[in-house]
Each structure stands twice: as C-alpha cells, then as structure tokens.
Amino acid sequence: MGWIFLANVISSLAVLACLVPWMRVGKVVCDFSLLRSMVRYSWPLLVLGVAGNLSQGMGQLIIPYIFPDNVEAARTMVGLYGANIKIAVVMMMFTQAFRYAYEPFIFSKAERMGEDKTQAYCDAMKFFVVFGLAIFLGVMYFLPVIKHFIAPSYWEGLRVVPIMMIADLCFGVYFNLSLWYKLTDRTIWGMYLSLLGFVLMLAGNLILVPMIGIPDGYMGSAWAALISYASIMAVSYLLGRKYYPIPYPMRRMGLYTLLAAALWGIGALCEFPYAMLGTYTIRLLLLALYIMVVGYYEPVPLLSPALRRLLQKIAR
C-alpha cells in the first residue's frame, strides 16, 4: 500500500518540477484584500472536493457497515463493485482530462464579452456529450473484450458498468454546468450541490444496498451513484438558468442521447455468442453510424471537408 502513496508523491513532485521554469520570485507583498477574496471564493471548493471524493468512494466504504454480520459477503460485494467500476472509470478519465482543459478555457473566455463567449460554452457542452456518448457506446459494444482487464472471478459484476458509466457521464455534464457558479463568484452553491450529492449518495446506499441484499447489494451503490449525479446535474442546470443563463442546445443533445440509447439497445440484441466476429462487425458499424450522424450535423474538426460532403451524400 505504501508504494501507492510514494507513486503519488513522485507524481506531484514531477508536476512541481515542470512548473519551476514559470516561477518568478520577487518582492513578496501580501495583499490582504485579495487574500480575503481568494479565501471567500475557494473555501467552498475545498468542501466541494472533500464531499465529492467521499461520494465517489461511498459504495466501497459503506457496504461493510451495512452487513456487519456477514463480513465475507460484504468483502465479496466490495470486491465485485470495485473491480468493475475500474472499467467504467474510462468515462471518469475522459471527464478529468476535459476538466484540465476546460477550466482555463472558460476563465479565458470569461474575460471576453459577447455572443462568441456564450457560443463557446454551448459548443463545449455539446461536444462533451457527443464524445461521452461515443465512449459509452465503444465500451459497451466491446465489453466482452474489455472485461479481460479484470479477473474472470469478477465478471458477474459487469452489470454495474453501464450504470456507472451513465452516472459518470451525468457527473461530467454537471461539471460543465458548474461554470455558472464559478463565473459569478457563487462557489457556495457548488458546495451546496456537492453536499446534496453526498447526502443522496449516502441515503441511496443505506436504502438500496440492504433492499437488494446479498449477493447483489453492490448494485444498490451503482444506482445510488446514478441517482445522486443525475439529481445534482438537474438542480445545477435549473439554478444556472436563473443566475447565469446559457442557451445550451438541449434538443440536439437530447436527440444524440436517444440515438446512442437506441444504438446501444440494437447492439445488445446483436450479440451472437458463437459468432463474435459478426457481433463486433455489426457493433462497429453501429458505432460508425453514430459518428456519421454526428459528423453530418456537427462541424467535427476530425472530419475533412471532402469526408463531410461524402457523409452528407450518403445521408441523403
């Protein structure tokens, strides 16, 4: 276990070393007015981060306490849940990578005024959903291959993967929506929303895990995560419409979501255990269909003008 902490220390020191060339040490002057503003802005984000981390690990933390009289079964459920959410973490990694680019982007755009800024926010949200749905379809279509990254003894818990991937996608959308309280200096709302998510996650685990019981109680943790993230996503959207309204293309994103859901369902039906090559071929074509539809309606930079014209001819 100690090597994990050592790896984190080495990683943090490496990042610090990369930042050294940009550091300039001059005369140190403390601006207490600025310090107060920074503390007032950032302390809710500290609470937000702690509550968020506790929420993400809630299932593994709480299951042993729900079944104190059956320790072995509780450990088995924690193992199944923890192993299979490692597959779903692909969506969380996508969200995390997006966050590193998005926060500097929105603050740089915030310095500008006008329609260009608002359109950029809308496009960022739309393409996050577009690529998030593509990742979801890719993982679900090729789960029979991806599952080999975990031991076969954990495969019975693969049912949590789609639930957790949808939950993580909702969390990513919530993060995109969070710019309204960051740009308006209402970070206290971010803390409230994070605490709401924590309470919903805790309540969901306490209710759903014992309700489902042994041996599938870990499914309650997955559903609790989905309920929690979807709820704070919806509340953040409603609050954002009041304090910092942005005309997100809800209809377009909703249609892409319905398309992805339909293709997921079709792909699930097209599973032939004794002809997996045919299964993967069909699913690959379905994934290509999703990309083609998005490429037809959206100016995706990865598509050349010639390829886009070809897709438009095919669509007609």
Side-chain angles (χ1 to χ4, degrees):
M1 186 69 73
W3 292 108
I4 298 174
F5 292 100
L6 180 61
N8 277 280
V9 170
I10 294 173
S11 174
S12 298
L13 291 176
V15 172
L16 178 61
C18 291
L19 291 173
V20 168
W22 282 270
M23 294 181 181
R24 297 291 185 270
V25 180
K27 184 179 180 181
V28 178
V29 178
C30 186
D31 186 340
F32 288 99
S33 177
L34 176 61
L35 179 61
R36 282 193 296 272
S37 299
M38 291 172 64
V39 171
R40 186 167 58 250
Y41 179 89
S42 60
W43 77 262
L45 298 179
L46 173 63
V47 179
L48 180 156
V50 173
N53 285 328
L54 287 174
S55 296
Q56 289 177 5
M58 182 68 71
Q60 292 143 298
L61 290 172
I62 203 169
I63 287 177
Y65 293 98
I66 295 176
F67 301 104
D69 298 328
N70 202 329
V71 177
E72 199 59 38
R75 288 177 177 173
T76 300
M77 286 189 287
V78 170
L80 289 170
Y81 182 69
N84 285 279
I85 61 175
K86 290 178 182 178
I87 298 176
V89 83
V90 173
M91 187 69 74
M92 185 60 72
M93 290 171 63
F94 166 62
T95 303
Q96 189 69 15
F98 185 85
R99 290 177 65 174
Y100 281 121
Y102 188 57
E103 285 192 336
F105 169 77
I106 63 171
F107 285 111
S108 65
K109 282 288 183 182
E111 297 176 359
R112 308 177 189 176
M113 301 300 291
E115 186 177 341
D116 174 67
K117 175 182 65 174
T118 302
Q119 186 60 44
Y121 297 154
C122 294
D123 288 343
M125 171 67 85
K126 179 175 63 178
F127 283 109
F128 176 85
V129 172
V130 164
F131 284 103
L133 291 172
I135 291 171
F136 173 78
L137 287 176
V139 171
M140 296 313 303
Y141 281 167
F142 298 98
L143 189 58
V145 175
I146 298 173
K147 70 180 183 181
H148 290 280
F149 284 101
I150 61 176
S153 56
Y154 294 109
W155 288 356
E156 66 179 276
L158 288 171
R159 293 171 294 169
V160 306
V161 175
I163 301 172
M164 288 304 300
M165 289 202 71
I166 297 172
D168 288 338
L169 181 61
C170 289
F171 182 79
V173 173
Y174 160 71
F175 171 78
N176 278 268
L177 294 169
S178 69
L179 68 88
W180 69 264
Y181 64 72
K182 293 179 180 177
L183 294 179
T184 59
D185 290 345
R186 291 186 172 92
T187 51
I188 191 71
W189 279 105
M191 183 186 74
Y192 294 153
L193 289 169
S194 187
L195 291 175
L196 172 63
F198 174 79
V199 170
L200 290 174
M201 189 80 75
L202 178 61
N205 275 274
L206 291 175
I207 294 171
L208 296 176
V209 171
M211 181 185 297
I212 297 173
I214 299 172
D216 299 325
Y218 59 91
M219 293 295 296
S221 295
W223 284 112
L226 178 56
I227 293 169
S228 174
Y229 292 153
S231 297
I232 60 175
M233 175 187 71
V235 173
S236 182
Y237 172 71
L238 295 174
L239 290 171
R241 291 183 62 183
K242 177 181 178 181
Y243 292 109
Y244 197 89
I246 296 175
Y248 292 116
M250 302 300 294
R251 180 176 298 180
R252 181 70 62 87
M253 292 190 296
L255 290 174
Y256 290 150
T257 303
L258 291 175
L259 173 64
L263 293 176
W264 175 31
I266 295 172
L269 293 174
C270 298
E271 182 169 355
F272 311 109
Y274 300 103
M276 291 307 293
L277 180 60
T279 297
Y280 295 139
T281 301
I282 294 173
R283 290 179 175 180
L284 193 60
L285 291 173
L286 291 173
L287 185 58
L289 176 62
Y290 172 81
I291 295 172
M292 288 173 62
V293 171
V294 172
Y296 178 79
Y297 288 105
E298 304 295 340
V300 181
L302 296 177
L303 299 179
S304 66
L307 181 56
R308 186 176 293 111
R309 286 194 296 269
L310 177 62
L311 293 178
Q312 291 173 347
K313 288 180 181 179
I314 295 174
R316 295 193 189 101

